[in-house]
C-alpha cells in the first residue's frame, strides 16, 4: 500500500516537472506572429495664419494664402480624400507691454486649417513643397502615416500567432508521445504597431520626406490544448 501511494504521488507530480503543463492531459503556451509593412497613406493638416492690427487685414491675408494654396494643388485636389478647408478662426492677442504705464496693444490673428488624406505617398513631397512655399504651418510625424490594409494585416498577424501556438503544441505533444487535441481556452492579445524611424518635416522650410520607414504589427495568443 505504501509503494502504491508513492507511485500515485509521483504520477501527479509529473506535470509539475514539464514547463507549460497546467494539469495532466493539457498544455498551456503562447503563440506569436508579426507582419512587416511600409505605410501607403497619410493624414495631413496644414494651417495658414496671419497677424495684423486690423482683423479685416489679417483675414484678407489668410484668404490670399488659401487662394494660392488651392491653385498650387489644383492638379492633386481630385486625389485628396476627405478634403476640408472651410474652418476659419479669428482672435486677438495682447502684445507684451514695455512699461506698466503703456496701453496694452492688441493684434488680430486669423488662421485657416486644411486637412485631408492621401492614399498615394508620391503626392507627399509636391504637397509639402507647396505648403513650404506659402509658409503654411504643419507637423509631420509617424502617427500620421498608415496602411490602407492594416485590418487585413492585423488578421494575418493573428493567423500566424494561432499557427505558432498550434505548432508549439504539436512539438510538446510529440516529445511526450502524444498528440495535440482540442483547444480548451484561448486568449487573444491586441495588435501593437511600433513607431518607425523616419525622416520628418516640421513647420516651415523643412526638407522633404525621403523615407517613411518600415512598421510591424504583432499579435500573440495564449492557448490551452488537450493532449490526447
Amino acid at each position: 500500500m505504501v509503494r502504491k501511494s508513492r507511485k500515485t504521488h509521483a504520477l501527479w507530480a509529473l506535470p509539475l516537472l514539464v514547463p507549460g503543463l497546467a494539469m495532466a492531459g493539457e498544455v498551456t503556451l503562447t503563440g506569436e506572429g508579426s507582419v512587416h509593412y511600409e505605410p501607403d497613406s497619410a493624414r495631413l493638416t496644414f494651417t495658414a495664419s496671419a497677424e495684423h492690427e486690423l482683423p479685416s487685414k489679417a483675414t484678407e491675408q489668410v484668404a490670399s494664402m488659401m487662394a494660392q494654396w488651392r491653385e498650387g494643388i489644383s492638379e492633386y485636389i481630385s486625389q485628396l480624400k476627405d478634403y476640408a478647408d472651410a474652418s476659419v478662426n479669428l482672435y486677438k492677442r495682447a502684445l507684451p507691454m514695455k512699461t506698466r504705464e503703456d496701453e496694452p496693444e492688441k493684434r488680430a490673428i486669423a488662421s485657416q486649417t486644411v486637412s485631408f488624406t492621401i492614399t498615394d505617398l508620391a503626392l507627399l513631397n509636391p504637397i509639402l513643397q507647396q505648403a513650404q512655399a506659402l509658409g503654411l504651418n504643419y507637423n509631420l510625424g509617424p502617427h500620421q502615416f498608415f496602411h490602407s490594409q492594416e485590418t487585413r494585416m492585423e488578421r494575418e498577424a493573428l493567423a500566424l500567432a494561432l499557427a505558432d501556438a498550434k505548432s508549439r503544441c504539436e512539438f510538446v505533444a510529440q516529445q511526450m508521445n502524444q498528440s495535440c487535441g482540442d483547444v480548451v481556452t484561448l486568449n487573444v492579445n491586441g495588435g501593437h504597431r511600433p513607431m518607425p524611424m523616419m525622416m520628418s518635416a516640421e513647420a516651415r522650410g523643412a526638407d522633404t520626406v525621403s523615407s517613411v520607414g518600415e512598421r510591424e504589427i504583432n499579435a500573440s495568443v495564449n492557448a490551452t490544448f488537450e493532449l490526447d
Side-chain angles (χ1 to χ4, degrees):
M1 291 294 292
V2 173
R3 290 181 180 177
K4 183 176 180 181
S5 176
R6 289 178 178 175
K7 183 177 181 180
T8 302
H9 178 75
L11 290 173
W12 279 104
L14 179 61
L16 300 178
L17 302 177
V18 182
L21 288 182
M23 61 181 65
E26 292 183 1
V27 60
T28 299
L29 40 77
T30 299
E32 298 178 346
S34 63
V35 174
H36 295 260
Y37 70 96
E38 288 191 9
D40 64 1
S41 306
R43 301 179 184 90
L44 304 176
T45 301
F46 301 90
T47 301
S49 61
E51 182 176 333
H52 199 275
E53 296 177 357
L54 300 176
S56 60
K57 292 296 185 180
T59 303
E60 288 175 7
Q61 291 178 22
V62 167
S64 176
M65 293 173 66
M66 290 303 301
Q68 295 177 67
W69 162 260
R70 295 187 187 102
E71 181 180 357
I73 64 166
S74 58
E75 62 179 301
Y76 313 121
I77 193 70
S78 62
Q79 302 177 64
L80 307 182
K81 303 180 66 175
D82 303 321
Y83 183 90
D85 67 4
S87 177
V88 182
N89 296 311
L90 181 64
Y91 63 95
K92 291 184 178 181
R93 74 177 183 92
L95 298 178
M97 294 184 296
K98 295 181 180 179
T99 65
R100 295 182 179 179
E101 290 75 20
D102 291 341
E103 288 291 330
E105 184 180 353
K106 293 185 178 181
R107 304 276 288 185
I109 299 177
S111 65
Q112 190 162 350
T113 299
V114 181
S115 62
F116 54 86
T117 297
I118 57 173
T119 55
D120 180 3
L121 292 185
L123 301 177
L124 180 61
N125 283 331
I127 289 175
L128 291 181
Q129 291 168 356
Q130 182 65 26
Q132 292 164 13
L134 294 174
L136 301 187
N137 295 318
Y138 64 92
N139 290 299
L140 193 63
H143 63 282
Q144 292 170 266
F145 292 87
F146 65 98
H147 198 285
S148 56
Q149 299 295 319
E150 281 185 9
T151 299
R152 175 180 59 80
M153 294 178 181
E154 288 175 356
R155 293 177 179 176
E156 289 179 2
L158 178 57
L160 291 172
L162 292 169
D164 184 44
K166 178 69 172 179
S167 175
R168 294 185 182 190
C169 176
E170 291 172 347
F171 174 79
V172 172
Q174 183 180 14
Q175 300 305 305
M176 301 180 66
N177 296 320
Q178 292 183 285
S179 61
C180 186
D182 295 335
V183 177
V184 178
T185 62
L186 178 65
N187 294 317
V188 178
N189 300 322
H192 177 58
R193 305 182 189 91
M195 287 299 181
M197 296 297 294
M198 57 168 284
M199 289 188 64
S200 64
E202 184 174 347
R204 300 178 181 178
D207 294 334
T208 54
V209 175
S210 61
S211 176
V212 175
E214 188 179 76
R215 297 191 181 188
E216 181 180 38
I217 294 180
N218 295 323
S220 64
V221 298
N222 295 317
T224 298
F225 294 87
E226 290 182 350
L227 293 178
D228 300 328

